[in-house]
Amino acid sequence: ETGVTQTPRHLVMGMTNKKSLKCEQHLGHNAMYWYKQSAKKPLELMFVYNFKEQTENNSVPSRFSPECPNSSHLFLHLHTLQPEDSALYLCASSPETGRHEQYFGPGTRLTVT
Amino acid sequence: KNQVEQSPQSLIILEGKNCTLQCNYTVSPFSNLRWYKQDTGRGPVSLTIMTFSENTKSNGRYTATLDADTKQSSLHITASQLSDSASYICVVSDEYSGGGADGLTFGKGTHLIIQP
């Protein structure tokens, strides 16, 4: 185990649903990240939080809304998703942003129907 | 544009055999290169990290090499085991971002299958 947990592990939702992904890290880190991993594509960085402040938003559609209430928890709120949003969503954390190793959670496998 | 190309895309070998995975990059200026192992249904786990001055780094049966002049890296797996079946991802960081997440360029990964 890497010290980063994600729930749920699997999620199937319709295009009109609203759901949230949760990430929790037990490593005392201050930076947390959301990534999208699609089949046969490299990991795509979505959002970065450092000390609870969002520092990166890589042109992610507004149907994805992150929330970081404290340094240990990160949420990804989902609404009106499209089938092409189906992917593995990975959360990661690191001591801070910068040249630090990132520790990844197991991911949430999302299917949009 | 920074790019990381990995080859082969997939590889099947018999248990006990050795194999080498390749990573070519165009990231500049270079900061560091990491190899990650991602088991099916799990998140990536770091195997090695190398900076400009390092040519070789080992982690058990995994040995990574780096040629910063030709911008190539390889990951050699010795005496493969069934548990080595996974995707192996090469990640290169550039200096502009101080090595931060926005400066990371990920490869698509090599899918390795070890057969008994």
Short mmCIF file of all heavy atoms in Angstrom, two decimals, chain A residues 1-2 9 33 35 37 40-45 48 56 58 88 90 97-107, chain B residues 9 31-32 34 36 38 41-47 49 89 93-95 97-102 104 106-108:
data_model
loop_
_atom_site.label_atom_id
_atom_site.label_comp_id
_atom_site.label_asym_id
_atom_site.label_seq_id
_atom_site.Cartn_x
_atom_site.Cartn_y
_atom_site.Cartn_z
N GLU A 1 0.83 -1.20 0.00
CA GLU A 1 0.00 0.00 0.00
C GLU A 1 0.86 1.25 0.00
O GLU A 1 1.90 1.32 0.66
CB GLU A 1 -0.90 0.01 1.25
CG GLU A 1 -1.90 -1.15 1.31
CD GLU A 1 -2.86 -1.14 0.13
OE1 GLU A 1 -3.21 -0.06 -0.35
OE2 GLU A 1 -3.24 -2.23 -0.32
N THR A 2 0.42 2.27 -0.74
CA THR A 2 1.22 3.49 -0.89
C THR A 2 0.86 4.55 0.12
O THR A 2 1.52 5.58 0.19
CB THR A 2 1.02 4.07 -2.30
OG1 THR A 2 -0.38 4.42 -2.46
CG2 THR A 2 1.42 3.07 -3.37
N ARG A 9 -13.73 2.33 -5.85
CA ARG A 9 -12.77 1.76 -6.78
C ARG A 9 -13.36 1.62 -8.18
O ARG A 9 -12.64 1.69 -9.16
CB ARG A 9 -12.31 0.38 -6.28
CG ARG A 9 -11.52 0.42 -4.98
CD ARG A 9 -10.18 1.14 -5.17
NE ARG A 9 -9.41 0.60 -6.27
CZ ARG A 9 -8.65 -0.47 -6.18
NH1 ARG A 9 -8.53 -1.09 -5.04
NH2 ARG A 9 -7.98 -0.91 -7.25
N TYR A 33 -2.85 15.52 -6.27
CA TYR A 33 -3.03 15.62 -7.71
C TYR A 33 -4.17 14.71 -8.17
O TYR A 33 -4.38 13.63 -7.61
CB TYR A 33 -1.75 15.15 -8.44
CG TYR A 33 -0.46 15.71 -7.92
CD1 TYR A 33 0.15 15.16 -6.79
CD2 TYR A 33 0.17 16.77 -8.56
CE1 TYR A 33 1.35 15.67 -6.31
CE2 TYR A 33 1.37 17.28 -8.08
CZ TYR A 33 1.95 16.71 -6.96
OH TYR A 33 3.15 17.21 -6.50
N TYR A 35 -5.19 12.75 -11.78
CA TYR A 35 -4.78 12.38 -13.12
C TYR A 35 -5.89 11.57 -13.77
O TYR A 35 -6.64 10.85 -13.11
CB TYR A 35 -3.54 11.46 -13.10
CG TYR A 35 -2.24 12.14 -12.76
CD1 TYR A 35 -1.82 12.24 -11.43
CD2 TYR A 35 -1.41 12.65 -13.76
CE1 TYR A 35 -0.60 12.83 -11.12
CE2 TYR A 35 -0.20 13.24 -13.45
CZ TYR A 35 0.20 13.32 -12.13
OH TYR A 35 1.41 13.91 -11.83
N GLN A 37 -6.30 8.55 -16.67
CA GLN A 37 -5.56 7.55 -17.45
C GLN A 37 -6.53 6.82 -18.37
O GLN A 37 -7.37 6.05 -17.90
CB GLN A 37 -4.83 6.57 -16.54
CG GLN A 37 -3.91 5.62 -17.31
CD GLN A 37 -3.11 4.71 -16.39
OE1 GLN A 37 -3.60 4.25 -15.37
NE2 GLN A 37 -1.86 4.44 -16.75
N LYS A 40 -4.27 3.24 -23.71
CA LYS A 40 -3.30 3.54 -24.76
C LYS A 40 -2.93 5.03 -24.84
O LYS A 40 -2.48 5.51 -25.88
CB LYS A 40 -3.80 3.06 -26.12
CG LYS A 40 -4.09 1.57 -26.15
CD LYS A 40 -4.36 1.09 -27.56
CE LYS A 40 -4.80 -0.37 -27.57
NZ LYS A 40 -3.84 -1.27 -26.96
N LYS A 41 -3.13 5.75 -23.74
CA LYS A 41 -2.72 7.15 -23.68
C LYS A 41 -1.87 7.38 -22.43
O LYS A 41 -2.03 6.67 -21.43
CB LYS A 41 -3.94 8.07 -23.61
CG LYS A 41 -4.74 8.17 -24.89
CD LYS A 41 -5.84 9.21 -24.72
CE LYS A 41 -6.64 9.41 -25.98
NZ LYS A 41 -7.70 10.43 -25.79
N PRO A 42 -0.99 8.37 -22.47
CA PRO A 42 -0.22 8.69 -21.27
C PRO A 42 -1.13 9.28 -20.19
O PRO A 42 -2.22 9.78 -20.49
CB PRO A 42 0.77 9.75 -21.75
CG PRO A 42 0.72 9.71 -23.23
CD PRO A 42 -0.61 9.21 -23.61
N LEU A 43 -0.65 9.23 -18.96
CA LEU A 43 -1.38 9.89 -17.88
C LEU A 43 -1.53 11.38 -18.20
O LEU A 43 -0.59 12.02 -18.67
CB LEU A 43 -0.64 9.75 -16.55
CG LEU A 43 -1.01 8.58 -15.66
CD1 LEU A 43 -0.49 7.29 -16.23
CD2 LEU A 43 -0.49 8.79 -14.24
N GLU A 44 -2.71 11.91 -17.89
CA GLU A 44 -2.97 13.33 -18.12
C GLU A 44 -3.19 14.01 -16.76
O GLU A 44 -4.10 13.63 -16.02
CB GLU A 44 -4.23 13.52 -18.96
CG GLU A 44 -4.20 12.85 -20.32
CD GLU A 44 -5.56 12.92 -20.99
OE1 GLU A 44 -6.16 14.01 -21.00
OE2 GLU A 44 -6.03 11.88 -21.50
N LEU A 45 -2.35 14.99 -16.47
CA LEU A 45 -2.52 15.75 -15.23
C LEU A 45 -3.75 16.63 -15.36
O LEU A 45 -3.91 17.35 -16.35
CB LEU A 45 -1.29 16.61 -14.98
CG LEU A 45 -1.31 17.48 -13.73
CD1 LEU A 45 -1.34 16.62 -12.47
CD2 LEU A 45 -0.10 18.41 -13.72
N VAL A 48 -3.78 20.21 -9.62
CA VAL A 48 -2.76 20.14 -8.60
C VAL A 48 -3.16 21.05 -7.45
O VAL A 48 -3.57 22.20 -7.68
CB VAL A 48 -1.38 20.59 -9.12
CG1 VAL A 48 -0.32 20.50 -8.02
CG2 VAL A 48 -0.96 19.74 -10.32
N GLU A 56 -2.74 24.20 -10.34
CA GLU A 56 -2.78 23.81 -11.74
C GLU A 56 -4.19 23.38 -12.12
O GLU A 56 -4.86 22.68 -11.36
CB GLU A 56 -1.83 22.64 -12.03
CG GLU A 56 -0.36 22.99 -12.02
CD GLU A 56 0.05 23.84 -13.19
OE1 GLU A 56 -0.55 23.70 -14.27
OE2 GLU A 56 0.97 24.65 -13.01
N ASN A 58 -5.27 21.99 -15.81
CA ASN A 58 -4.80 21.80 -17.17
C ASN A 58 -5.94 21.76 -18.17
O ASN A 58 -6.19 20.75 -18.81
CB ASN A 58 -3.95 20.52 -17.26
CG ASN A 58 -2.53 20.78 -16.84
OD1 ASN A 58 -2.20 21.83 -16.34
ND2 ASN A 58 -1.67 19.80 -17.05
N LEU A 88 -9.61 5.62 -16.01
CA LEU A 88 -9.13 5.40 -14.64
C LEU A 88 -8.68 6.75 -14.09
O LEU A 88 -7.85 7.43 -14.70
CB LEU A 88 -7.97 4.41 -14.63
CG LEU A 88 -7.38 4.05 -13.26
CD1 LEU A 88 -8.39 3.24 -12.43
CD2 LEU A 88 -6.08 3.27 -13.42
N LEU A 90 -6.76 8.67 -11.26
CA LEU A 90 -5.75 8.42 -10.24
C LEU A 90 -5.51 9.66 -9.40
O LEU A 90 -5.40 10.77 -9.93
CB LEU A 90 -4.44 8.00 -10.89
CG LEU A 90 -4.42 6.62 -11.56
CD1 LEU A 90 -3.23 6.50 -12.50
CD2 LEU A 90 -4.37 5.53 -10.51
N THR A 97 4.77 20.29 -4.10
CA THR A 97 5.03 20.23 -5.53
C THR A 97 6.52 20.48 -5.75
O THR A 97 7.22 20.94 -4.86
CB THR A 97 4.21 21.30 -6.29
OG1 THR A 97 4.52 22.58 -5.74
CG2 THR A 97 2.73 21.03 -6.13
N GLY A 98 6.98 20.14 -6.93
CA GLY A 98 8.42 20.24 -7.19
C GLY A 98 9.01 18.87 -7.38
O GLY A 98 8.30 17.91 -7.67
N ARG A 99 10.31 18.74 -7.20
CA ARG A 99 11.01 17.49 -7.52
C ARG A 99 10.81 16.44 -6.44
O ARG A 99 11.76 15.94 -5.85
CB ARG A 99 12.51 17.75 -7.67
CG ARG A 99 12.89 18.30 -9.01
CD ARG A 99 14.39 18.20 -9.21
NE ARG A 99 14.81 19.23 -10.13
CZ ARG A 99 15.12 20.45 -9.77
NH1 ARG A 99 15.12 20.78 -8.50
NH2 ARG A 99 15.46 21.36 -10.66
N HIS A 100 9.57 16.12 -6.13
CA HIS A 100 9.31 15.10 -5.14
C HIS A 100 8.60 13.93 -5.79
O HIS A 100 7.78 14.11 -6.69
CB HIS A 100 8.43 15.65 -4.01
CG HIS A 100 9.06 16.75 -3.22
ND1 HIS A 100 10.05 16.51 -2.31
CD2 HIS A 100 8.85 18.08 -3.23
CE1 HIS A 100 10.43 17.65 -1.76
NE2 HIS A 100 9.72 18.62 -2.31
N GLU A 101 8.90 12.75 -5.31
CA GLU A 101 8.21 11.58 -5.83
C GLU A 101 6.74 11.64 -5.47
O GLU A 101 6.37 12.03 -4.35
CB GLU A 101 8.81 10.30 -5.25
CG GLU A 101 8.11 9.03 -5.72
CD GLU A 101 8.72 7.78 -5.13
OE1 GLU A 101 9.83 7.86 -4.58
OE2 GLU A 101 8.07 6.72 -5.22
N GLN A 102 5.90 11.26 -6.41
CA GLN A 102 4.47 11.21 -6.17
C GLN A 102 4.07 9.78 -5.82
O GLN A 102 4.54 8.82 -6.43
CB GLN A 102 3.71 11.68 -7.41
CG GLN A 102 3.93 13.15 -7.72
CD GLN A 102 3.15 13.60 -8.91
OE1 GLN A 102 2.10 13.05 -9.25
NE2 GLN A 102 3.63 14.64 -9.57
N TYR A 103 3.19 9.66 -4.86
CA TYR A 103 2.65 8.38 -4.44
C TYR A 103 1.21 8.29 -4.93
O TYR A 103 0.40 9.15 -4.60
CB TYR A 103 2.72 8.22 -2.93
CG TYR A 103 4.14 8.17 -2.41
CD1 TYR A 103 4.90 9.33 -2.26
CD2 TYR A 103 4.72 6.96 -2.06
CE1 TYR A 103 6.20 9.28 -1.81
CE2 TYR A 103 6.03 6.90 -1.59
CZ TYR A 103 6.76 8.07 -1.47
OH TYR A 103 8.05 8.01 -1.02
N PHE A 104 0.93 7.26 -5.69
CA PHE A 104 -0.37 7.13 -6.33
C PHE A 104 -1.32 6.23 -5.54
O PHE A 104 -0.90 5.24 -4.93
CB PHE A 104 -0.23 6.56 -7.75
CG PHE A 104 0.34 7.52 -8.74
CD1 PHE A 104 1.71 7.69 -8.86
CD2 PHE A 104 -0.50 8.27 -9.56
CE1 PHE A 104 2.24 8.59 -9.78
CE2 PHE A 104 0.03 9.16 -10.48
CZ PHE A 104 1.40 9.32 -10.59
N GLY A 105 -2.59 6.56 -5.61
CA GLY A 105 -3.63 5.68 -5.11
C GLY A 105 -3.97 4.62 -6.14
O GLY A 105 -3.42 4.64 -7.25
N PRO A 106 -4.87 3.70 -5.81
CA PRO A 106 -5.21 2.60 -6.72
C PRO A 106 -6.10 3.01 -7.87
O PRO A 106 -6.24 2.27 -8.83
CB PRO A 106 -5.94 1.61 -5.81
CG PRO A 106 -6.53 2.46 -4.75
CD PRO A 106 -5.56 3.58 -4.52
N GLY A 107 -6.70 4.20 -7.79
CA GLY A 107 -7.53 4.68 -8.87
C GLY A 107 -9.01 4.33 -8.73
O GLY A 107 -9.39 3.41 -7.99
N GLN B 9 5.45 -1.47 -27.32
CA GLN B 9 4.16 -1.15 -26.71
C GLN B 9 3.72 -2.28 -25.80
O GLN B 9 3.13 -2.05 -24.74
CB GLN B 9 3.12 -0.93 -27.81
CG GLN B 9 1.76 -0.51 -27.28
CD GLN B 9 0.79 -0.19 -28.42
OE1 GLN B 9 1.21 0.07 -29.55
NE2 GLN B 9 -0.49 -0.23 -28.14
N SER B 31 15.47 17.33 -16.22
CA SER B 31 15.65 17.37 -14.77
C SER B 31 15.89 15.96 -14.23
O SER B 31 16.91 15.70 -13.60
CB SER B 31 14.46 17.99 -14.08
OG SER B 31 14.60 17.92 -12.67
N ASN B 32 14.91 15.07 -14.41
CA ASN B 32 15.08 13.70 -13.95
C ASN B 32 14.16 12.76 -14.72
O ASN B 32 13.25 13.21 -15.43
CB ASN B 32 14.83 13.57 -12.44
CG ASN B 32 13.43 14.00 -12.06
OD1 ASN B 32 12.46 13.39 -12.44
ND2 ASN B 32 13.33 15.07 -11.28
N ARG B 34 12.01 9.01 -14.30
CA ARG B 34 11.53 7.97 -13.40
C ARG B 34 10.92 6.82 -14.19
O ARG B 34 10.33 7.04 -15.25
CB ARG B 34 10.45 8.52 -12.46
CG ARG B 34 10.93 9.47 -11.40
CD ARG B 34 9.82 9.77 -10.41
NE ARG B 34 10.29 10.56 -9.27
CZ ARG B 34 10.16 11.88 -9.18
NH1 ARG B 34 9.58 12.54 -10.14
NH2 ARG B 34 10.61 12.52 -8.13
N TYR B 36 8.13 3.85 -13.53
CA TYR B 36 7.06 3.40 -12.65
C TYR B 36 6.58 2.03 -13.10
O TYR B 36 6.56 1.73 -14.30
CB TYR B 36 5.86 4.34 -12.67
CG TYR B 36 6.00 5.61 -11.88
CD1 TYR B 36 6.55 6.76 -12.45
CD2 TYR B 36 5.56 5.69 -10.56
CE1 TYR B 36 6.65 7.93 -11.72
CE2 TYR B 36 5.66 6.86 -9.83
CZ TYR B 36 6.21 7.98 -10.42
OH TYR B 36 6.31 9.14 -9.70
N GLN B 38 3.12 -0.27 -12.93
CA GLN B 38 1.70 -0.19 -12.62
C GLN B 38 1.05 -1.56 -12.82
O GLN B 38 0.89 -2.01 -13.96
CB GLN B 38 0.99 0.86 -13.49
CG GLN B 38 -0.47 1.04 -13.13
CD GLN B 38 -1.14 2.17 -13.90
OE1 GLN B 38 -0.64 2.61 -14.94
NE2 GLN B 38 -2.27 2.66 -13.40
N GLY B 41 -5.15 -2.60 -12.28
CA GLY B 41 -6.08 -2.18 -11.24
C GLY B 41 -5.44 -1.43 -10.09
O GLY B 41 -6.09 -1.21 -9.06
N ARG B 42 -4.17 -1.06 -10.24
CA ARG B 42 -3.47 -0.33 -9.18
C ARG B 42 -2.87 0.95 -9.74
O ARG B 42 -2.78 1.14 -10.95
CB ARG B 42 -2.36 -1.19 -8.58
CG ARG B 42 -2.77 -2.58 -8.19
CD ARG B 42 -3.64 -2.61 -6.96
NE ARG B 42 -2.90 -2.41 -5.75
CZ ARG B 42 -2.36 -3.39 -5.03
NH1 ARG B 42 -2.46 -4.64 -5.45
NH2 ARG B 42 -1.73 -3.13 -3.91
N GLY B 43 -2.44 1.83 -8.84
CA GLY B 43 -1.75 3.02 -9.28
C GLY B 43 -0.27 2.74 -9.53
O GLY B 43 0.26 1.74 -9.07
N PRO B 44 0.40 3.62 -10.25
CA PRO B 44 1.84 3.43 -10.51
C PRO B 44 2.66 3.52 -9.23
O PRO B 44 2.34 4.29 -8.32
CB PRO B 44 2.18 4.60 -11.45
CG PRO B 44 0.88 5.07 -12.00
CD PRO B 44 -0.13 4.80 -10.93
N VAL B 45 3.73 2.73 -9.18
CA VAL B 45 4.66 2.74 -8.05
C VAL B 45 6.05 2.99 -8.60
O VAL B 45 6.46 2.36 -9.57
CB VAL B 45 4.62 1.40 -7.29
CG1 VAL B 45 5.67 1.39 -6.18
CG2 VAL B 45 3.23 1.16 -6.70
N SER B 46 6.77 3.92 -7.98
CA SER B 46 8.10 4.29 -8.48
C SER B 46 9.10 3.16 -8.30
O SER B 46 9.17 2.54 -7.25
CB SER B 46 8.59 5.54 -7.74
OG SER B 46 9.86 5.91 -8.19
N LEU B 47 9.87 2.90 -9.36
CA LEU B 47 10.95 1.90 -9.30
C LEU B 47 12.31 2.58 -9.13
O LEU B 47 13.11 2.19 -8.29
CB LEU B 47 10.97 1.06 -10.59
CG LEU B 47 9.80 0.12 -10.83
CD1 LEU B 47 9.94 -0.53 -12.20
CD2 LEU B 47 9.72 -0.94 -9.75
N ILE B 49 14.59 6.55 -9.91
CA ILE B 49 14.65 7.93 -10.38
C ILE B 49 16.11 8.24 -10.67
O ILE B 49 16.99 7.87 -9.89
CB ILE B 49 14.08 8.94 -9.37
CG1 ILE B 49 14.27 10.38 -9.89
CG2 ILE B 49 14.70 8.75 -8.00
CD1 ILE B 49 13.58 11.42 -9.05
N ILE B 89 5.98 2.50 -16.92
CA ILE B 89 5.80 3.86 -17.43
C ILE B 89 7.06 4.67 -17.19
O ILE B 89 7.59 4.69 -16.07
CB ILE B 89 4.59 4.55 -16.77
CG1 ILE B 89 3.32 3.72 -17.00
CG2 ILE B 89 4.42 5.95 -17.30
CD1 ILE B 89 2.13 4.21 -16.21
N SER B 93 10.95 14.65 -16.30
CA SER B 93 10.65 15.97 -15.73
C SER B 93 11.59 17.01 -16.33
O SER B 93 12.78 16.75 -16.52
CB SER B 93 10.83 15.91 -14.22
OG SER B 93 10.65 17.18 -13.65
N ASP B 94 11.04 18.21 -16.59
CA ASP B 94 11.89 19.27 -17.12
C ASP B 94 12.28 20.26 -16.03
O ASP B 94 11.66 20.30 -14.97
CB ASP B 94 11.21 19.99 -18.29
CG ASP B 94 10.00 20.80 -17.87
OD1 ASP B 94 10.13 21.66 -16.96
OD2 ASP B 94 8.92 20.59 -18.44
N GLU B 95 13.31 21.04 -16.29
CA GLU B 95 13.84 21.96 -15.29
C GLU B 95 12.97 23.19 -15.10
O GLU B 95 12.99 23.82 -14.06
CB GLU B 95 15.25 22.40 -15.71
CG GLU B 95 16.37 21.47 -15.31
CD GLU B 95 16.65 21.51 -13.82
OE1 GLU B 95 16.17 22.44 -13.14
OE2 GLU B 95 17.34 20.60 -13.34
N SER B 97 9.89 23.72 -14.61
CA SER B 97 8.88 23.66 -13.55
C SER B 97 9.51 23.33 -12.22
O SER B 97 8.79 23.11 -11.25
CB SER B 97 7.83 22.62 -13.91
OG SER B 97 8.44 21.35 -13.98
N GLY B 98 10.83 23.28 -12.16
CA GLY B 98 11.49 22.86 -10.93
C GLY B 98 11.22 21.40 -10.65
O GLY B 98 11.31 20.96 -9.50
N GLY B 99 10.88 20.67 -11.67
CA GLY B 99 10.58 19.26 -11.49
C GLY B 99 9.15 19.02 -11.03
O GLY B 99 8.79 17.92 -10.65
N GLY B 100 8.34 20.07 -11.05
CA GLY B 100 6.97 19.93 -10.58
C GLY B 100 6.07 19.18 -11.53
O GLY B 100 6.46 18.86 -12.64
N ALA B 101 4.84 18.95 -11.05
CA ALA B 101 3.91 18.09 -11.78
C ALA B 101 3.61 18.63 -13.16
O ALA B 101 3.41 17.88 -14.11
CB ALA B 101 2.62 17.92 -10.98
N ASP B 102 3.57 19.96 -13.30
CA ASP B 102 3.23 20.52 -14.60
C ASP B 102 4.37 20.34 -15.59
O ASP B 102 4.21 20.55 -16.78
CB ASP B 102 2.88 21.99 -14.46
CG ASP B 102 3.97 22.79 -13.79
OD1 ASP B 102 4.65 22.24 -12.90
OD2 ASP B 102 4.17 23.96 -14.15
N LEU B 104 6.01 17.38 -15.90
CA LEU B 104 6.16 15.95 -16.12
C LEU B 104 5.59 15.57 -17.48
O LEU B 104 4.49 15.99 -17.83
CB LEU B 104 5.44 15.15 -15.04
CG LEU B 104 5.95 15.30 -13.61
CD1 LEU B 104 5.10 14.45 -12.68
CD2 LEU B 104 7.41 14.87 -13.52
N PHE B 106 4.67 12.09 -19.50
CA PHE B 106 4.51 10.65 -19.29
C PHE B 106 4.57 9.91 -20.62
O PHE B 106 4.00 10.36 -21.62
CB PHE B 106 3.15 10.35 -18.65
CG PHE B 106 3.03 10.79 -17.22
CD1 PHE B 106 2.76 12.10 -16.89
CD2 PHE B 106 3.19 9.87 -16.19
CE1 PHE B 106 2.64 12.50 -15.57
CE2 PHE B 106 3.07 10.25 -14.87
CZ PHE B 106 2.80 11.57 -14.55
N GLY B 107 5.20 8.75 -20.63
CA GLY B 107 5.09 7.84 -21.76
C GLY B 107 3.80 7.04 -21.66
O GLY B 107 3.12 7.06 -20.64
N LYS B 108 3.47 6.35 -22.76
CA LYS B 108 2.24 5.56 -22.79
C LYS B 108 2.42 4.24 -22.05
O LYS B 108 1.45 3.57 -21.72
CB LYS B 108 1.81 5.28 -24.22
CG LYS B 108 1.39 6.51 -24.99
CD LYS B 108 0.96 6.14 -26.41
CE LYS B 108 0.56 7.39 -27.18
NZ LYS B 108 0.11 7.06 -28.56
#
